[in-house]
Coordinates of all heavy atoms in Angstrom, one line a residue:
M1 N 121.1 137.6 107.8 CA 120.3 136.5 108.4 C 121.1 135.5 109.1 O 122.2 135.1 108.5 CB 119.4 135.9 107.4 CG 118.2 136.8 106.8 SD 117.3 135.6 105.9 CE 115.9 136.4 105.7
A2 N 120.5 134.9 110.0 CA 121.1 133.8 110.7 C 121.3 132.6 109.9 O 120.2 132.3 109.2 CB 120.6 133.6 112.0
A3 N 122.2 131.8 109.9 CA 122.3 130.5 109.2 C 121.3 129.5 109.9 O 121.1 129.5 111.2 CB 123.7 129.9 109.4
R4 N 120.7 128.7 109.0 CA 119.7 127.7 109.6 C 120.6 126.6 110.3 O 121.5 126.1 109.8 CB 118.8 127.2 108.4 CG 118.0 128.2 107.8 CD 117.2 127.7 106.8 NE 116.0 127.1 107.6 CZ 115.0 126.4 107.0 NH1 115.0 126.2 105.8 NH2 114.1 125.9 107.7
K5 N 120.1 126.3 111.4 CA 120.7 125.2 112.1 C 120.0 123.7 111.8 O 118.9 123.7 111.5 CB 120.5 125.4 113.7 CG 121.3 126.5 114.3 CD 121.1 126.7 115.8 CE 121.8 127.8 116.1 NZ 121.6 127.9 117.6
R6 N 121.0 122.9 111.6 CA 120.3 121.5 111.4 C 119.6 121.0 112.7 O 120.1 121.2 113.6 CB 121.4 120.5 111.0 CG 122.2 121.0 109.8 CD 123.2 119.9 109.5 NE 124.1 120.3 108.3 CZ 125.0 119.7 107.9 NH1 125.2 118.3 108.4 NH2 125.8 120.1 107.0
N7 N 118.5 120.3 112.4 CA 117.8 119.7 113.4 C 118.1 118.2 113.8 O 117.8 117.7 114.7 CB 116.2 119.6 113.0 CG 115.7 121.0 113.1 OD1 116.3 122.0 113.9 ND2 114.6 121.3 112.3
H8 N 119.1 117.7 113.0 CA 119.4 116.3 113.3 C 121.0 116.1 113.7 O 121.7 117.1 113.1 CB 119.1 115.4 112.1 CG 119.8 115.7 110.8 ND1 121.1 115.3 110.6 CD2 119.5 116.6 109.7 CE1 121.6 115.9 109.4 NE2 120.5 116.6 108.9
S9 N 121.3 115.3 114.3 CA 122.6 115.1 114.8 C 123.3 114.1 113.8 O 122.6 113.2 113.2 CB 122.8 114.5 116.1 OG 124.1 114.2 116.5
E10 N 124.7 114.2 113.6 CA 125.3 113.3 112.8 C 126.0 112.3 113.5 O 126.7 111.5 112.9 CB 126.4 114.1 111.9 CG 125.8 115.0 110.9 CD 126.7 115.8 110.1 OE1 127.8 115.2 109.8 OE2 126.4 116.8 109.5
I11 N 125.6 112.0 114.7 CA 126.1 110.9 115.6 C 125.4 109.6 115.2 O 124.2 109.6 115.1 CB 125.9 111.2 117.0 CG1 126.7 112.4 117.4 CG2 126.5 110.0 117.8 CD1 126.5 112.9 118.9
K12 N 126.2 108.6 114.9 CA 125.7 107.2 114.5 C 125.9 106.4 115.7 O 126.9 106.2 116.3 CB 126.5 106.7 113.4 CG 126.6 107.6 112.1 CD 125.2 107.7 111.5 CE 125.4 108.4 110.2 NZ 124.2 109.2 109.9
I13 N 124.8 105.9 116.1 CA 124.7 104.9 117.4 C 124.5 103.4 116.8 O 123.4 103.3 116.1 CB 123.6 105.2 118.3 CG1 124.0 106.7 119.0 CG2 123.7 104.4 119.5 CD1 123.0 107.3 119.8
D14 N 125.4 102.5 117.2 CA 125.1 101.2 116.8 C 124.3 100.5 117.8 O 124.8 100.2 119.0 CB 126.6 100.4 116.6 CG 126.5 99.1 116.3 OD1 125.4 98.8 115.7 OD2 127.4 98.2 116.4
E15 N 123.1 100.3 117.6 CA 122.1 99.7 118.6 C 122.4 98.2 118.7 O 121.9 97.7 119.8 CB 120.7 100.0 118.2 CG 120.3 101.4 118.1 CD 119.0 101.7 117.8 OE1 118.2 100.7 117.5 OE2 118.5 102.9 117.6
S16 N 123.1 97.6 117.9 CA 123.3 96.1 118.0 C 124.2 95.9 119.2 O 124.1 94.8 119.8 CB 123.8 95.5 116.8 OG 125.1 96.0 116.5
S17 N 125.1 96.8 119.6 CA 126.1 96.5 120.7 C 125.5 97.1 122.1 O 126.2 96.7 123.1 CB 127.3 97.3 120.4 OG 127.1 98.7 120.4
M18 N 124.2 97.4 122.1 CA 123.8 97.9 123.4 C 123.4 96.8 124.2 O 122.9 95.6 123.7 CB 122.5 98.9 123.2 CG 122.9 100.2 122.5 SD 121.5 101.1 122.3 CE 122.2 102.8 122.3
V19 N 123.4 96.8 125.5 CA 122.9 95.8 126.5 C 121.9 96.3 127.3 O 121.8 97.7 127.7 CB 124.0 95.2 127.3 CG1 125.0 94.3 126.4 CG2 124.8 96.2 128.0
A20 N 120.9 95.5 127.8 CA 120.0 96.0 128.6 C 120.5 96.4 130.1 O 121.6 95.8 130.4 CB 118.8 94.9 129.0
E21 N 119.8 97.3 130.7 CA 120.3 97.7 132.1 C 120.1 96.5 133.1 O 119.1 95.7 133.1 CB 119.5 98.9 132.6 CG 120.0 99.4 133.9 CD 119.3 100.8 134.4 OE1 118.6 101.3 133.5 OE2 119.5 101.2 135.5
T22 N 121.1 96.4 134.0 CA 121.1 95.2 134.9 C 120.0 95.6 135.9 O 119.8 96.7 136.4 CB 122.4 95.2 135.7 OG1 123.5 95.2 134.7 CG2 122.5 94.0 136.5
S23 N 119.1 94.6 136.2 CA 118.0 94.7 137.1 C 118.5 94.6 138.7 O 119.7 94.3 138.9 CB 117.0 93.6 137.1 OG 117.6 92.3 137.3
I24 N 117.7 95.1 139.6 CA 118.0 95.0 141.0 C 118.3 93.7 141.5 O 119.3 93.4 142.2 CB 116.9 95.7 141.9 CG1 116.7 97.3 141.3 CG2 117.2 95.7 143.3 CD1 117.9 98.1 141.7
G25 N 117.6 92.7 141.0 CA 117.7 91.4 141.4 C 118.9 90.7 141.0 O 119.8 90.1 141.7
S26 N 119.3 91.1 139.7 CA 120.6 90.7 139.2 C 121.8 91.3 139.8 O 122.8 90.7 140.3 CB 120.7 90.9 137.7 OG 121.9 90.5 137.2
R27 N 121.7 92.6 140.3 CA 122.7 93.2 141.0 C 123.0 92.7 142.4 O 124.0 92.5 142.9 CB 122.4 94.7 141.1 CG 122.6 95.5 139.9 CD 122.3 97.0 140.1 NE 122.4 97.7 138.8 CZ 123.5 98.4 138.6 NH1 124.6 98.5 139.3 NH2 123.6 99.1 137.3
F28 N 121.8 92.3 143.2 CA 121.8 91.7 144.4 C 122.6 90.4 144.3 O 123.4 90.0 145.2 CB 120.4 91.5 144.9 CG 120.4 90.9 146.3 CD1 120.9 91.5 147.4 CD2 119.9 89.5 146.4 CE1 120.8 91.0 148.7 CE2 119.9 88.8 147.6 CZ 120.4 89.6 148.8
L29 N 122.3 89.6 143.3 CA 122.9 88.3 143.1 C 124.3 88.4 142.8 O 125.1 87.6 143.2 CB 122.1 87.4 142.0 CG 120.8 86.9 142.5 CD1 120.1 86.3 141.2 CD2 120.6 86.0 143.7
N30 N 124.8 89.3 142.0 CA 126.1 89.7 141.7 C 126.9 90.0 143.1 O 128.0 89.5 143.2 CB 126.3 90.7 140.7 CG 125.9 90.4 139.4 OD1 126.0 89.1 139.1 ND2 125.7 91.2 138.4
A31 N 126.2 90.8 144.0 CA 126.9 91.1 145.1 C 126.9 90.0 146.1 O 128.0 89.8 146.7 CB 126.0 92.4 145.8
L32 N 126.0 89.2 146.1 CA 126.1 87.9 147.0 C 127.1 87.0 146.5 O 127.9 86.4 147.3 CB 124.7 87.2 147.0 CG 124.5 86.1 148.0 CD1 124.6 86.4 149.4 CD2 123.1 85.5 147.8
Y33 N 127.2 86.8 145.2 CA 128.2 85.9 144.6 C 129.5 86.5 144.8 O 130.5 85.8 145.0 CB 127.9 85.9 143.1 CG 128.6 84.7 142.3 CD1 128.8 83.5 143.0 CD2 129.0 84.8 141.2 CE1 129.4 82.4 142.4 CE2 129.6 83.8 140.5 CZ 130.0 82.6 141.2 OH 130.6 81.6 140.5
A34 N 129.8 87.8 144.8 CA 131.1 88.4 145.1 C 131.5 88.2 146.5 O 132.7 88.0 146.7 CB 131.0 89.9 144.6
I35 N 130.5 88.2 147.4 CA 130.8 87.9 148.8 C 131.4 86.5 149.0 O 132.4 86.2 149.6 CB 129.7 88.2 149.7 CG1 129.4 89.7 149.8 CG2 129.9 87.7 151.1 CD1 128.2 90.0 150.4
I36 N 130.7 85.7 148.3 CA 131.0 84.2 148.4 C 132.4 83.9 147.8 O 133.3 83.3 148.4 CB 129.9 83.3 147.7 CG1 128.7 83.4 148.7 CG2 130.4 81.9 147.6 CD1 127.5 82.7 147.9
L37 N 132.7 84.6 146.6 CA 133.9 84.4 146.1 C 135.1 85.1 146.8 O 136.2 84.6 147.0 CB 134.0 84.9 144.6 CG 133.2 84.1 143.6 CD1 133.2 84.7 142.3 CD2 133.7 82.6 143.5
G38 N 134.7 86.2 147.6 CA 135.7 86.8 148.4 C 136.1 85.9 149.5 O 137.2 85.9 150.0
I39 N 135.0 85.2 150.2 CA 135.4 84.2 151.2 C 136.2 83.2 150.7 O 137.3 82.8 151.4 CB 134.1 83.8 151.7 CG1 133.3 84.8 152.5 CG2 134.4 82.6 152.7 CD1 132.0 84.5 152.9
V40 N 136.0 82.6 149.5 CA 136.8 81.6 149.0 C 138.2 82.1 148.8 O 139.3 81.3 148.9 CB 136.2 81.0 147.6 CG1 137.0 80.1 146.9 CG2 134.8 80.4 148.0
L41 N 138.3 83.3 148.2 CA 139.7 83.7 147.9 C 140.5 83.9 149.2 O 141.6 83.5 149.3 CB 139.5 85.2 147.3 CG 140.9 85.9 146.8 CD1 141.7 85.0 145.8 CD2 140.6 87.3 146.5
V42 N 139.9 84.6 150.3 CA 140.6 84.5 151.4 C 141.0 83.0 152.1 O 142.1 82.9 152.6 CB 139.7 85.2 152.5 CG1 140.4 85.2 154.0 CG2 139.7 86.7 152.2
Q43 N 140.1 82.1 152.0 CA 140.3 80.9 152.3 C 141.5 80.2 151.7 O 142.3 79.5 152.2 CB 139.0 80.0 152.4 CG 139.2 78.5 152.6 CD 139.4 78.4 154.2 OE1 138.8 79.1 155.0 NE2 140.4 77.6 154.7
A44 N 141.5 80.4 150.3 CA 142.6 79.8 149.5 C 143.9 80.4 149.8 O 144.9 79.8 149.9 CB 142.2 80.1 148.1
F45 N 143.8 81.8 150.1 CA 145.1 82.6 150.3 C 145.6 82.0 151.7 O 146.9 81.7 151.9 CB 144.7 84.1 150.6 CG 145.9 84.9 151.1 CD1 147.1 85.1 150.3 CD2 145.9 85.2 152.4 CE1 148.1 85.8 150.8 CE2 147.0 86.1 152.9 CZ 148.0 86.3 152.2
H46 N 144.7 81.8 152.8 CA 145.1 81.2 154.0 C 145.7 79.7 154.0 O 146.6 79.5 154.6 CB 144.2 81.5 155.1 CG 144.1 82.8 155.7 ND1 145.0 83.3 156.4 CD2 143.0 83.7 155.5 CE1 144.6 84.6 156.7 NE2 143.4 84.7 156.3
F47 N 145.0 79.0 153.1 CA 145.5 77.6 152.8 C 146.9 77.5 152.2 O 147.7 76.7 152.8 CB 144.4 77.0 152.0 CG 144.9 75.5 151.7 CD1 144.7 74.6 152.7 CD2 145.4 75.2 150.4 CE1 145.0 73.2 152.4 CE2 145.7 73.9 150.3 CZ 145.5 72.8 151.2
F48 N 147.1 78.3 151.2 CA 148.3 78.2 150.5 C 149.5 78.9 151.3 O 150.7 78.6 151.0 CB 148.3 78.8 149.1 CG 147.5 77.8 148.2 CD1 146.3 78.3 147.6 CD2 148.0 76.4 148.0 CE1 145.6 77.4 146.8 CE2 147.3 75.6 147.2 CZ 146.1 76.1 146.7
T49 N 149.3 80.0 152.1 CA 150.3 80.6 152.9 C 150.6 80.0 154.2 O 151.6 80.2 154.8 CB 150.0 82.1 153.0 OG1 148.8 82.2 153.7 CG2 150.0 82.7 151.6
G50 N 149.8 79.0 154.6 CA 149.9 78.3 156.0 C 149.6 79.3 157.2 O 150.4 79.1 158.1
R51 N 148.9 80.2 156.9 CA 148.6 81.2 158.0 C 147.9 80.5 159.2 O 147.9 81.1 160.4 CB 147.7 82.4 157.5 CG 148.4 83.2 156.4 CD 149.4 84.2 156.9 NE 148.8 85.0 157.9 CZ 148.8 86.2 157.9 NH1 149.4 87.0 156.9 NH2 148.2 87.1 158.9
F52 N 147.1 79.5 159.0 CA 146.4 78.8 160.1 C 147.3 77.7 160.6 O 147.9 77.0 160.0 CB 145.1 78.4 159.6 CG 144.1 79.4 159.3 CD1 143.5 79.6 158.0 CD2 143.6 80.3 160.3 CE1 142.5 80.5 157.9 CE2 142.7 81.3 160.1 CZ 142.2 81.4 158.9
T53 N 147.1 77.5 161.9 CA 147.8 76.3 162.4 C 146.6 75.4 163.0 O 145.6 76.0 163.6 CB 148.7 76.6 163.7 OG1 147.9 77.4 164.7 CG2 149.9 77.5 163.3
G54 N 146.6 74.3 162.6 CA 145.5 73.3 162.9 C 144.5 73.4 161.9 O 144.7 73.7 160.8
P55 N 143.1 73.3 162.3 CA 142.0 73.3 161.4 C 141.9 74.8 160.9 O 141.2 75.6 161.7 CB 140.9 72.8 162.1 CG 141.1 73.0 163.6 CD 142.7 72.9 163.6
G56 N 142.4 75.1 159.8 CA 142.2 76.4 159.4 C 141.0 76.7 158.6 O 140.8 76.1 157.6
S57 N 140.2 77.6 159.0 CA 138.9 77.9 158.3 C 138.8 79.4 158.4 O 139.2 80.1 159.4 CB 137.8 77.2 159.2 OG 136.5 77.6 158.4
V58 N 138.0 80.0 157.4 CA 137.8 81.3 157.4 C 136.7 81.7 158.3 O 136.6 83.0 158.6 CB 137.5 81.6 155.8 CG1 136.0 81.3 155.5 CG2 137.6 83.2 155.6
V59 N 135.9 80.8 158.8 CA 135.0 81.1 159.8 C 135.7 81.7 161.2 O 134.9 82.6 161.7 CB 134.3 79.7 160.3 CG1 133.3 79.9 161.4 CG2 133.6 79.3 159.1
L60 N 136.9 81.5 161.4 CA 137.5 82.2 162.5 C 137.8 83.6 162.3 O 138.0 84.4 163.2 CB 138.9 81.5 162.7 CG 138.9 80.0 163.0 CD1 140.4 79.4 162.9 CD2 138.2 79.7 164.2
L61 N 137.6 84.1 161.0 CA 137.9 85.5 160.7 C 136.6 86.4 160.9 O 136.7 87.7 160.6 CB 138.5 85.7 159.4 CG 139.9 85.1 159.1 CD1 140.3 85.2 157.8 CD2 140.9 85.9 160.0
Y62 N 135.4 85.8 161.1 CA 134.2 86.6 161.0 C 134.1 87.5 162.2 O 133.2 88.4 162.1 CB 132.9 85.7 161.1 CG 132.6 85.1 159.8 CD1 133.0 83.8 159.5 CD2 132.2 85.9 158.7 CE1 132.6 83.2 158.2 CE2 131.9 85.4 157.5 CZ 132.2 84.1 157.3 OH 131.9 83.6 155.9
N63 N 134.8 87.7 163.2 CA 135.0 88.8 164.1 C 136.2 89.8 163.8 O 136.4 90.6 164.6 CB 135.2 88.2 165.5 CG 136.4 87.4 165.7 OD1 137.2 87.2 164.7 ND2 136.5 87.1 167.0
N64 N 136.7 89.7 162.7 CA 137.8 90.5 162.3 C 137.3 91.7 161.4 O 136.5 91.4 160.5 CB 138.9 89.7 161.5 CG 140.1 90.5 161.1 OD1 140.1 91.8 161.3 ND2 141.2 89.9 160.8
V65 N 137.6 92.9 161.8 CA 137.0 94.0 161.0 C 137.6 94.1 159.6 O 136.9 94.5 158.7 CB 137.3 95.2 161.9 CG1 136.9 96.6 161.1 CG2 136.6 95.3 163.3
L66 N 138.9 93.9 159.5 CA 139.5 93.9 158.2 C 138.9 92.9 157.1 O 138.6 93.2 156.0 CB 140.9 93.6 158.1 CG 141.8 94.8 158.9 CD1 143.2 94.3 159.0 CD2 141.6 96.1 158.1
F67 N 138.5 91.7 157.6 CA 137.9 90.7 156.8 C 136.5 91.1 156.4 O 136.1 91.1 155.3 CB 137.9 89.4 157.7 CG 137.2 88.4 156.8 CD1 137.6 87.7 155.6 CD2 136.0 87.8 157.3 CE1 137.0 86.8 154.9 CE2 135.2 86.8 156.6 CZ 135.9 86.3 155.4
L68 N 135.7 91.7 157.3 CA 134.3 92.2 157.1 C 134.4 93.3 156.1 O 133.5 93.5 155.3 CB 133.7 92.5 158.4 CG 133.4 91.2 159.3 CD1 132.6 91.7 160.6 CD2 132.5 90.2 158.6
S69 N 135.3 94.1 156.3 CA 135.5 95.4 155.3 C 135.9 94.9 154.0 O 135.4 95.3 152.9 CB 136.6 96.3 155.9 OG 136.4 96.8 157.1
F70 N 136.7 93.8 153.9 CA 137.0 93.2 152.5 C 135.8 92.6 151.9 O 135.5 92.8 150.7 CB 138.1 92.1 152.7 CG 138.2 91.3 151.4 CD1 139.1 91.9 150.4 CD2 137.9 90.1 151.3 CE1 139.2 91.2 149.2 CE2 138.0 89.3 150.1 CZ 138.9 90.0 149.1
L71 N 134.9 92.0 152.7 CA 133.7 91.5 152.1 C 132.7 92.5 151.8 O 132.0 92.4 150.7 CB 133.0 90.5 153.2 CG 133.8 89.2 153.5 CD1 132.9 88.4 154.4 CD2 134.0 88.5 152.1
A72 N 132.7 93.7 152.5 CA 131.9 94.7 152.1 C 132.4 95.5 150.7 O 131.5 95.8 150.0 CB 131.9 95.8 153.2
V73 N 133.6 95.5 150.5 CA 134.2 96.1 149.3 C 133.7 95.0 148.1 O 133.4 95.6 147.2 CB 135.6 96.2 149.5 CG1 136.3 96.6 148.1 CG2 136.0 97.4 150.4
C74 N 134.0 93.7 148.4 CA 133.5 92.8 147.5 C 132.1 93.0 147.1 O 131.8 92.9 145.9 CB 133.8 91.4 147.9 SG 135.6 90.8 147.9
S75 N 131.3 93.2 148.1 CA 129.8 93.3 147.8 C 129.5 94.5 147.0 O 128.8 94.6 146.0 CB 129.2 93.4 149.1 OG 127.8 93.6 148.8
I76 N 130.2 95.7 147.4 CA 129.9 96.9 146.6 C 130.4 96.8 145.2 O 129.7 97.2 144.3 CB 130.6 98.0 147.4 CG1 129.9 98.3 148.6 CG2 130.6 99.3 146.4 CD1 130.7 99.4 149.6
L77 N 131.6 96.2 145.0 CA 132.2 96.0 143.6 C 131.4 95.1 142.9 O 131.3 95.2 141.7 CB 133.6 95.7 143.7 CG 134.6 96.8 144.1 CD1 136.0 96.2 144.3 CD2 134.5 97.9 143.2
G78 N 130.8 94.1 143.4 CA 129.9 93.0 142.8 C 128.7 93.7 142.4 O 128.1 93.5 141.3
W79 N 128.1 94.7 143.2 CA 126.9 95.5 142.9 C 127.2 96.5 141.7 O 126.3 96.5 140.7 CB 126.5 96.1 144.2 CG 125.2 97.0 143.9 CD1 125.0 98.3 143.2 CD2 123.9 96.6 144.1 NE1 123.8 98.7 143.2 CE2 123.1 97.6 143.8 CE3 123.2 95.5 144.7 CZ2 121.7 97.6 144.0 CZ3 121.9 95.5 144.9 CH2 121.2 96.5 144.6
I80 N 128.4 97.0 141.7 CA 128.6 98.1 140.6 C 129.2 97.5 139.3 O 128.6 97.7 138.3 CB 129.6 99.2 141.3 CG1 128.9 99.9 142.3 CG2 130.0 100.1 140.1 CD1 129.8 100.8 143.1
A81 N 130.2 96.7 139.6 CA 130.9 96.1 138.3 C 130.2 94.8 137.8 O 130.4 94.6 136.7 CB 132.5 96.0 138.8
G82 N 129.7 94.2 138.7 CA 129.1 92.9 138.4 C 129.9 91.8 137.7 O 130.8 91.4 138.5
D83 N 129.6 91.5 136.4 CA 130.2 90.3 136.0 C 131.7 90.5 135.7 O 132.5 89.5 135.8 CB 129.4 90.1 134.7 CG 128.1 89.5 134.7 OD1 127.9 88.9 135.8 OD2 127.4 89.6 133.8
N84 N 132.2 91.7 135.5 CA 133.6 92.1 135.3 C 134.4 91.6 136.6 O 135.4 91.1 136.6 CB 133.7 93.3 134.9 CG 133.3 93.7 133.5 OD1 133.2 92.7 132.8 ND2 132.9 94.9 133.3
F85 N 133.9 92.0 137.9 CA 134.5 91.9 139.0 C 134.4 90.4 139.4 O 135.5 89.8 140.0 CB 133.8 92.7 140.2 CG 134.5 92.7 141.5 CD1 135.7 93.0 141.7 CD2 133.8 91.9 142.4 CE1 136.4 92.8 142.9 CE2 134.4 91.8 143.7 CZ 135.8 92.2 143.9
I86 N 133.3 89.7 139.0 CA 133.1 88.4 139.4 C 134.2 87.5 138.6 O 134.8 86.5 139.2 CB 131.7 87.9 139.2 CG1 130.8 88.5 140.4 CG2 131.6 86.3 139.3 CD1 129.2 88.2 140.1
A87 N 134.3 87.9 137.3 CA 135.3 87.2 136.5 C 136.6 87.4 137.0 O 137.5 86.5 137.1 CB 135.3 87.6 135.1
W88 N 137.0 88.6 137.5 CA 138.3 88.7 138.1 C 138.6 88.0 139.3 O 139.7 87.5 139.5 CB 138.4 90.3 138.4 CG 139.7 90.7 139.0 CD1 141.0 90.9 138.4 CD2 140.0 90.8 140.4 NE1 141.9 91.1 139.3 CE2 141.4 91.2 140.6 CE3 139.2 90.7 141.5 CZ2 142.0 91.4 141.7 CZ3 139.9 91.0 142.8 CH2 141.3 91.2 142.9
L89 N 137.5 87.9 140.3 CA 137.6 87.1 141.4 C 137.9 85.7 141.1 O 138.7 85.0 141.6 CB 136.5 87.3 142.3 CG 136.3 88.5 143.2 CD1 134.9 88.5 143.8 CD2 137.5 88.5 144.3
K90 N 137.1 85.1 140.1 CA 137.4 83.7 139.7 C 138.8 83.6 139.2 O 139.4 82.5 139.4 CB 136.4 83.4 138.6 CG 135.0 83.2 139.1 CD 134.1 82.8 137.8 CE 132.6 82.6 138.3 NZ 131.8 82.3 137.3
N91 N 139.3 84.4 138.3 CA 140.6 84.4 137.9 C 141.6 84.3 139.0 O 142.7 83.6 139.0 CB 140.9 85.6 136.9 CG 142.2 85.5 136.2 OD1 142.8 84.4 136.0 ND2 142.8 86.6 135.8
E92 N 141.4 85.2 140.0 CA 142.4 85.3 141.2 C 142.3 84.0 141.9 O 143.4 83.5 142.5 CB 142.0 86.5 142.0 CG 142.5 87.7 141.5 CD 143.9 87.9 141.1 OE1 144.7 87.6 142.0 OE2 144.2 88.4 140.0
I93 N 141.2 83.4 142.0 CA 141.0 82.1 142.9 C 141.8 81.0 142.0 O 142.5 80.1 142.6 CB 139.6 81.8 143.1 CG1 139.1 82.8 144.1 CG2 139.5 80.4 143.7 CD1 137.5 82.7 144.3
S94 N 141.6 81.0 140.7 CA 142.2 79.8 140.0 C 143.7 80.0 139.8 O 144.3 78.9 139.4 CB 141.4 79.9 138.5 OG 141.9 81.0 137.8
V95 N 144.2 81.0 140.1 CA 145.8 81.1 139.9 C 146.4 80.6 141.0 O 146.6 79.7 141.6 CB 146.2 82.6 139.8 CG1 147.7 82.8 139.8 CG2 145.7 83.2 138.5

């Protein structure tokens, strides 16, 4: 005769460490916040490296494809990674 199979699993799940799934609105705000922090990061980089002569502003880069690609990557990572990516951007700006 075949051995009887158990109907229950022995996997223990700690429900106290579970977090709720991120909502679409929260993901959108994280993506927007990541774009803003990406702009601030590029502005700080240009300020400290002296790349601009005269009034240096990141506004001059809005027609640059690399800058817009960087902001798109920041937006996507802000959407996917959320708070972890935003915390990383804040850490990079503060250094």
Side-chain angles (χ1 to χ4, degrees):
M1 286 195 169
R4 295 186 82 183
K5 294 183 179 179
R6 294 185 194 181
N7 289 335
H8 63 86
S9 174
E10 294 186 20
I11 296 175
K12 305 288 187 220
I13 298 175
D14 183 19
E15 293 181 4
S16 65
S17 64
M18 293 181 160
V19 294
E21 185 177 349
T22 310
S23 68
I24 297 293
S26 178
R27 286 181 184 261
F28 178 75
L29 290 177
N30 283 340
L32 186 64
Y33 195 40
I35 290 173
I36 292 169
L37 288 176
I39 292 170
V40 171
L41 179 65
V42 171
Q43 180 68 42
F45 173 75
H46 282 296
F47 177 75
F48 287 117
T49 59
R51 301 273 309 229
F52 288 120
T53 58
S57 176
V58 77
V59 175
L60 301 174
L61 294 175
Y62 279 109
N63 60 356
N64 189 342
V65 175
L66 291 175
F67 178 66
L68 295 176
S69 300
F70 173 73
L71 292 182
V73 169
C74 284
S75 173
I76 292 169
L77 289 174
W79 181 275
I80 295 172
D83 293 331
N84 294 332
F85 182 66
I86 290 172
W88 178 80
L89 279 174
K90 286 180 181 179
N91 187 25
E92 289 299 314
I93 291 171
S94 67
V95 171

